[in-house]
Amino acid sequence: MTSSMFRSPCKIPSVKGFEQNSYVGLKAASYNVRVNSFKSSDVASQLQKIESALIWPVNAPEAPPLPSKLAEPLIDQPLQLSRRARRNRKCPTQRDAFQETNISPANLIYPLFIHEGEVDIPISTMPGRYMLGWRHGLIEEVARARDVGVNSIKLYPKVPEAKKSPTGEEAFNDNGLIPRTVRLLKNRFPDLVIYTDVNFDEYSTTGHGGIEREDGVILNDETIHQLRKQAVSQARAGADVVCTSEMLDGRVGAVRAALDAEGFQHVSIMSYSVKYTSSLYGRFRKVELDKKTYQINPANSREALLEAREDEAEGADILMVKPALPSLDIIRLLKDKTLLPIGACQVSGEYSMIKAAGLLKMIDEEKVMMESLICIRRAGADLILLPFLTSTLQSCFALSLYLSSFVHIQEPLFVVDLIY
């Protein structure tokens, strides 16, 4: 049955104590939200039967009154238990003391999407995120991230169609968008840690992660020949970590050899060792393409471990898993099987689902975002590529940075109980 649709403007609500212009990654903007209107269906009729008193908005200012306390005990004697786990959860101080998983700004990498122009352009599939002008908008966003302690970023370019080609020569143009941006940022923020994408699809006319033959086959070795030059160009511009993000056989070893040959032994490689053919990818890339011949089937875990071991043997310094939340088991698997740091990439689809549900008041966006973050850390991720950097993160990290100025600790820890 075709459902009728209408569009209604929706704005990001302001948070007390934070103006919208203080959000990192969020700007005041209107979004079109499509709402299904039920006409006649079993679901609609059932919804009408639900007593309105049982429905309570997520962010309602006052909760319904609680039932009164028991007038008299229900049992004569308490259970004779040798251990009651709830004793360690009875007050906030103890809960904070026993928390096993913590997060610091050093655990986060902030993805930034850039283009050749000067105007910041909204990304329609990621409410609140912008394609930043490579100079002014980008500089402002990096400064805001650094203000809350996040000093690692990853750059994603939007390459003009006119500069794309079947063999992606623009990817290793030393005066291209990424090298120019890296030089600009390093000149302004010398200690900023910059991750760059060694990837072919943004520079290819086909949108694939490799050179495509006439019959549709993705050429492995020929593409890696180009990726080697791309990685060297990025390292020459000042990139700290190059990310081999397309799953082509032998790419890590080839890139490591190319970097070392050019004197960039200090430049790290973060390999996207486990990149599933997920439906959660999107943003501005051609997501309808079939990339199953080089990305992993989401049903497979042993294959993921095999790929990760191969990348480690070829010289990867960090192993990345993408997407993050659907792959918590894989993050834990790699954490148990390797001594290398593990990264997790929270992709655009994960961000957009939380964002959309929050805008529609179906969930508390901030709490769900933080819960997803702590779950990724709990699974074993040392680094998280995180599209969210909102007011809650700002307030918590600012508090942790403030407290750390009075004590001698290496990293300011932020406790999740501060928000829950």
Side-chain angles (χ1 to χ4, degrees):
M1 181 184 68
T2 302
S3 61
S4 63
M5 314 287 280
F6 65 89
R7 294 180 180 272
S8 61
C10 182
K11 288 182 176 290
I12 298 174
S14 61
V15 180
K16 185 177 180 181
F18 288 90
E19 299 297 331
Q20 286 181 331
N21 58 13
S22 72
Y23 279 44
V24 178
L26 292 178
K27 302 186 180 181
S30 294
Y31 304 99
N32 289 326
V33 179
R34 298 193 303 173
V35 181
N36 286 318
S37 57
F38 294 99
K39 286 186 176 179
S40 59
S41 67
D42 291 340
V43 176
S45 61
Q46 292 297 321
L47 287 173
Q48 293 171 359
K49 295 177 181 179
I50 299 177
E51 186 178 349
S52 60
L54 297 179
I55 303 176
W56 197 253
V58 173
N59 296 318
E62 296 182 1
L66 296 174
S68 58
K69 296 181 180 179
L70 292 175
E72 55 185 36
L74 292 177
I75 59 175
D76 295 328
Q77 294 292 332
L79 296 174
Q80 299 301 309
L81 302 178
S82 60
R83 184 177 302 278
R84 290 180 180 266
R86 291 182 59 189
R87 285 194 286 260
N88 287 341
R89 302 195 291 265
K90 63 187 177 185
C91 71
T93 299
Q94 287 182 299
R95 291 195 298 271
D96 290 350
F98 304 143
Q99 181 169 310
E100 301 171 28
T101 305
N102 294 294
I103 303 169
S104 89
N107 298 123
L108 302 182
I109 305 171
Y110 189 31
L112 295 171
F113 312 115
I114 59 174
H115 71 113
E116 293 275 8
E118 300 294 333
V119 178
D120 298 342
I121 304 171
I123 300 175
S124 60
T125 57
M126 299 180 70
R129 294 307 310 269
Y130 282 70
M131 192 81 64
L132 300 168
W134 75 280
R135 284 185 289 194
H136 305 299
L138 174 65
I139 292 294
E140 292 172 4
E141 198 75 348
V142 171
R144 282 194 287 266
R146 286 166 59 90
D147 284 345
V148 295
V150 178
N151 197 45
S152 297
I153 61 144
K154 186 180 179 190
L155 298 172
Y156 291 91
K158 181 68 174 71
V159 179
E161 293 295 325
K163 295 186 177 182
K164 296 182 179 182
S165 67
T167 50
E169 284 80 5
E170 181 64 19
F172 46 88
N173 176 6
D174 284 345
N175 290 315
L177 178 58
I178 289 297
R180 276 187 284 121
T181 303
V182 171
R183 289 194 293 268
L184 175 72
L185 290 174
K186 281 295 185 179
N187 182 60
R188 185 67 177 269
F189 311 107
D191 62 333
L192 180 69
V193 178
I194 302 177
Y195 292 70
T196 53
D197 211 21
V198 180
N199 197 329
F200 194 80
D201 55 7
E202 271 304 311
Y203 302 89
S204 167
T205 49
T206 66
H208 265 296
I211 299 173
E212 186 176 0
R213 207 166 60 189
E214 290 183 359
D215 59 359
V217 172
I218 303 302
L219 299 176
N220 191 91
D221 298 5
E222 291 84 347
T223 302
I224 288 177
H225 178 70
Q226 304 291 69
L227 295 180
R228 287 162 52 97
K229 292 184 279 187
Q230 183 184 21
V232 170
S233 176
Q234 294 171 353
R236 189 180 296 122
D240 299 284
V241 185
V242 296
C243 305
T244 52
S245 62
E246 281 303 351
M247 300 196 62
L248 299 176
D249 297 336
R251 71 201 184 286
V252 175
V255 168
R256 182 73 271 163
L259 291 172
D260 291 351
E262 295 292 330
F264 297 114
Q265 292 87 354
H266 61 284
V267 175
S268 304
I269 295 177
M270 180 167 73
S271 176
Y272 281 56
S273 301
V274 183
K275 188 174 184 179
Y276 284 116
T277 51
S278 173
S279 300
L280 291 168
Y281 306 153
R283 207 171 83 253
F284 41 79
R285 293 185 174 171
K286 299 178 180 179
V287 294
E288 72 275 7
L289 293 173
D290 185 351
K291 299 187 176 183
K292 294 184 177 66
T293 65
Y294 50 99
Q295 295 178 0
I296 301 179
N297 183 343
N300 296 351
S301 59
R302 289 182 298 174
E303 184 182 11
L305 181 58
L306 179 66
E307 291 280 3
R309 284 176 169 171
E310 187 64 29
D311 288 354
E312 182 174 4
E314 290 181 18
D317 301 289
I318 307 164
L319 305 180
M320 173 66 82
V321 177
K322 178 181 179 180
L325 272 180
S327 308
L328 296 182
D329 59 325
I330 304 302
I331 296 171
R332 172 47 56 186
L333 175 66
L334 297 193
K335 190 69 173 179
D336 291 341
K337 297 293 184 180
T338 180
L339 297 179
L340 291 181
I342 304 299
C345 181
Q346 191 177 56
V347 301
S348 58
E350 297 174 72
Y351 170 93
S352 298
M353 287 191 295
I354 295 174
K355 198 73 184 169
L359 289 170
L360 293 173
K361 305 300 182 186
M362 293 179 174
I363 60 172
D364 186 310
E365 177 193 319
E366 299 289 348
K367 288 186 177 180
V368 173
M369 178 271 292
M370 292 307 307
E371 184 176 341
S372 70
L373 185 60
I374 202 72
C375 288
I376 296 167
R377 279 282 288 151
R378 188 188 65 221
D382 302 287
L383 295 169
I384 303 174
L385 196 73
L386 178 74
F388 289 96
L389 277 181
T390 60
S391 58
T392 297
L393 279 175
Q394 289 188 58
S395 61
C396 291
F397 287 160
L399 174 62
S400 65
L401 289 169
Y402 173 77
L403 293 175
S404 70
S405 65
F406 294 96
V407 293
H408 297 288
I409 58 175
Q410 290 184 342
E411 294 182 353
L413 292 181
F414 129 71
V415 182
V416 174
D417 272 354
L418 288 172
I419 19 180
Y420 283 119

